[in-house]
Amino acid sequence: MRIVVAGTGYVGLVTGVCFAQQGFSVTCVDVSQEKIDLLNSGKSPIYEPGMDELLAQNAPRLTFTTDAAGAYRTADVIFIGVGTPERPDGSANLDYVFDVVEQIAQSVEKDCVVVVKSTVPIGTNDRVEEYLRQNLAHPVQVDVASNPEFLAQGTAIHDTLYASRIVIGTQSQRPRRVLEQLYAPFDAPKLFTDRRSAEMIKYASNDFLALKISYINEIANLCETVGANVDDVAAGMGFDQRIGSRFLHAGIGYGGSCFPKDTKALDSFASIHGYPLKTVAATIAVNEGQKLRLLEKARAHYPSLKGLTVAVLGLTFKPGTDDLREAPSLVNVPRLLEEGARVQAWDPIGAENFRRRVQGDIAYCETPEQALEAADLCLILTEWPQIKQLAPQVFQQKMNQPIVLDGRNCFAIEALRASGARLRYESIGRPAVDTRREDQ
Ligand code: NAD
């Protein structure tokens, strides 16, 4: 079976490489010549653990090209894995998906199955099929299937090879049989359903996870007010298997390429259909506020940030990725700069991308210790292991004022107290620690 994947981003490239790993020949198409050149030189345009090894191992089965028409012409299955970013009104922008669909309509010369992997609003697969039916340049049969993707960046290859589930939405037997065959080597639960339900499963899953995060973040904020510790609260909740312990880690809000846009897209889609989802709207509102939580805390120490040196540890939206999309750093660092602070930033892999996106008085540091040098304030925005492993004394030794505001709860309160380091440490939903004067 000849597989073609449109898009070599996190979803498209991982899909292509994982099918190659299962023994299929795969052609990956992208509009970006730069990405295709990189891939043809054996390098990955995205950071994803294990990707370089799989690219090398499967090189004989992988082709990378910008020649979309040539690739689609004789494909048996075409996966669409291009972006569906947020429009200004929150709805999903389907332009990239339909660019691919248009090219498919013009190019395919044999029967094939078009599989929509991109996250798309309910009913999009029907629109794709309708477009193809009306615009195919050659008399061939093209079926459309929905196969939403559930991988998480940073564990994308593992999530694909050992998927939690494979959801396949079809309206007829032929595409179902093709996808059954294609996914046969993958040992994962498979759910066969109709296309609209498959599309809905993706949004309902992502928005539920985002809801869980916003819920624990609100509980964390209340914990701070009433003197409870959200770590213990989350641990106590997590024992209940109906709740589960994952995604109960309080912090400064979710980011990334999926939760923010998928909550907004479903919110917008539901409202257009006359059934606004109150839980999803609340999830979004809580997250927007949460991203600024550390700056609110900073005010208690510094009414003005003008002239201060602020260490920012972590820029990416989570560890294990160089992706900055919707990262809290993109809200916090510009605010710091606007208020006249000087930023000393550290991130192990996100700094280059950040430099391209945000201009201003930012010194990019090689190590977290360097970023802390003479700082008046430290904001922790990503829970990189290198940050979690810092000895608490480092804050005291390096900083001008050892005031640490941790948006990811990287340090155990008791360990900080026991370390003997003198610092002011505030996190999300947990008691503040102030050892600066304790032994004076
Ligand atoms: P991405 O932005 O990383 O990659 C998209 C790629 O598509 C880019 O390389 C772009 O150049 C390419 N492209 C654009 N137009 C094209 C065209 N006409 N032909 C070929 N290539 C084209 O996006 P992503 O993060 O991989 O997300 C893709 C889709 O998968 C989105 O709908 C997203 O919501 C969904 N998704 C993403 C994740 C994730 O963790 N990133 C997880 C599950 C689902």
Side-chain angles (χ1 to χ4, degrees):
M1 232 185 310
R2 268 207 64 227
I3 300 177
V4 176
V5 183
T8 61
Y10 292 90
V11 165
L13 185 59
V14 172
T15 301
V17 166
C18 288
F19 274 116
Q21 175 73 5
Q22 304 289 14
F24 294 98
S25 287
V26 183
T27 302
C28 298
V29 177
D30 207 290
V31 284
S32 162
Q33 188 67 53
E34 198 187 334
K35 288 188 181 182
I36 293 301
D37 289 346
L38 257 180
L39 285 161
N40 277 324
S41 69
K43 296 196 188 78
S44 169
I46 54 161
Y47 173 79
E48 198 57 57
M51 177 58 83
D52 291 342
E53 292 79 357
L54 282 197
L55 277 174
Q57 228 172 297
N58 294 291
R61 285 184 291 278
L62 283 165
T63 308
F64 300 103
T65 180
T66 52
D67 177 14
Y72 301 149
R73 190 170 298 129
T74 55
D76 294 299
V77 182
I78 304 169
F79 282 93
I80 302 180
V82 297
T84 48
E86 184 186 321
R87 284 194 190 280
D89 66 358
S91 63
N93 180 348
L94 297 176
D95 290 354
Y96 303 104
V97 170
F98 277 92
D99 283 350
V100 175
V101 174
E102 204 179 307
Q103 281 177 312
I104 292 173
Q106 286 158 13
S107 330
V108 287
E109 291 181 9
K110 63 180 267 203
D111 294 355
C112 71
V113 179
V114 170
V115 186
V116 180
K117 227 178 202 319
S118 301
T119 304
V120 293
I122 296 89
T124 304
N125 276 260
D126 293 355
R127 281 179 56 201
V128 168
E129 186 168 81
E130 184 58 21
Y131 181 91
L132 290 170
R133 209 176 52 75
Q134 291 185 7
N135 294 282
L136 280 172
H138 298 91
V140 292
Q141 188 187 340
V142 181
D143 293 296
V144 176
S146 166
N147 173 216
E149 179 55 62
F150 299 97
L151 64 78
Q153 285 169 225
T155 51
I157 289 172
H158 182 272
D159 294 347
T160 305
L161 292 176
Y162 309 98
S164 57
R165 73 285 210 195
I166 292 166
V167 172
I168 294 166
T170 53
Q171 301 300 114
S172 59
Q173 285 305 309
R174 194 183 83 94
R176 177 182 164 142
R177 276 196 299 274
V178 169
L179 283 163
E180 261 172 340
Q181 200 186 330
L182 213 55
Y183 277 113
F186 292 80
D187 181 20
K190 287 159 195 150
L191 178 83
F192 293 91
T193 180
D194 61 274
R195 289 193 302 228
R196 284 177 179 246
S197 302
E199 292 167 326
M200 183 63 101
I201 287 168
K202 175 62 193 171
Y203 279 107
S205 302
N206 261 11
D207 289 17
F208 185 79
L209 293 174
L211 170 80
K212 212 172 165 189
I213 296 171
S214 278
Y215 180 76
I216 199 66
N217 285 343
E218 269 209 306
I219 294 292
N221 298 346
L222 185 60
C223 282
E224 287 176 21
T225 309
V226 300
N229 182 331
V230 76
D231 280 356
D232 295 343
V233 173
M237 290 167 67
F239 282 114
D240 185 332
Q241 297 203 343
R242 293 169 303 175
I243 298 173
S245 57
R246 298 186 67 194
F247 279 74
L248 286 181
H249 192 78
I252 44 163
Y254 59 77
S257 64
C258 293
F259 290 169
K261 85 173 172 59
D262 292 350
T263 44
K264 288 182 203 157
L266 189 62
D267 183 45
S268 152
F269 181 80
S271 296
I272 289 167
H273 283 77
Y275 194 83
L277 294 174
K278 300 184 194 79
T279 46
V280 175
T283 299
I284 298 166
V286 169
N287 198 58
E288 293 302 313
Q290 198 68 11
K291 283 188 179 177
L292 295 168
R293 194 80 188 155
L294 294 188
L295 289 181
E296 285 164 19
K297 287 175 186 282
R299 300 265 173 250
H301 304 284
Y302 299 108
S304 163
L305 300 175
K306 197 171 167 51
L308 296 185
T309 298
V310 181
V312 174
L313 301 187
L315 297 169
T316 54
F317 82 93
K318 68 173 184 180
T321 179
D322 61 350
D323 199 340
L324 288 171
R325 287 179 279 189
E326 301 277 345
S329 62
L330 292 173
V331 180
N332 282 279
V333 174
R335 284 277 179 112
L336 291 169
L337 297 172
E338 267 164 42
E339 296 196 26
R342 183 176 173 277
V343 172
Q344 296 182 164
W346 173 82
D347 191 284
I349 50 175
E352 247 342 281
N353 283 348
F354 199 82
R355 199 193 295 268
R356 276 184 235 121
R357 303 243 339 225
V358 180
Q359 271 78 49
D361 192 3
I362 308 173
Y364 291 94
C365 303
E366 294 297 319
T367 62
E369 288 87 348
Q370 208 182 328
L372 292 169
E373 201 73 61
D376 301 293
L377 180 69
C378 167
L379 305 187
I380 299 178
L381 304 184
T382 317
E383 63 274 39
W384 283 105
Q386 295 93 319
I387 300 171
K388 290 170 127 176
Q389 284 155 14
L390 284 175
Q393 280 79 3
V394 168
F395 297 107
Q396 177 192 337
Q397 288 158 2
K398 299 283 177 190
M399 294 176 73
N400 184 26
Q401 291 293 333
I403 300 173
V404 181
L405 306 181
D406 180 359
R408 299 297 180 188
N409 293 2
C410 288
F411 295 92
I413 300 275
E414 283 318 311
L416 273 187
R417 283 193 203 284
S419 73
R422 287 205 213 134
L423 80 171
R424 169 84 190 179
Y425 174 82
E426 295 174 32
S427 50
I428 306 290
R430 308 187 301 173
V433 175
D434 202 335
T435 53
R436 285 174 299 178
R437 281 171 295 272
E438 273 177 9
D439 56 353
Q440 279 177 358

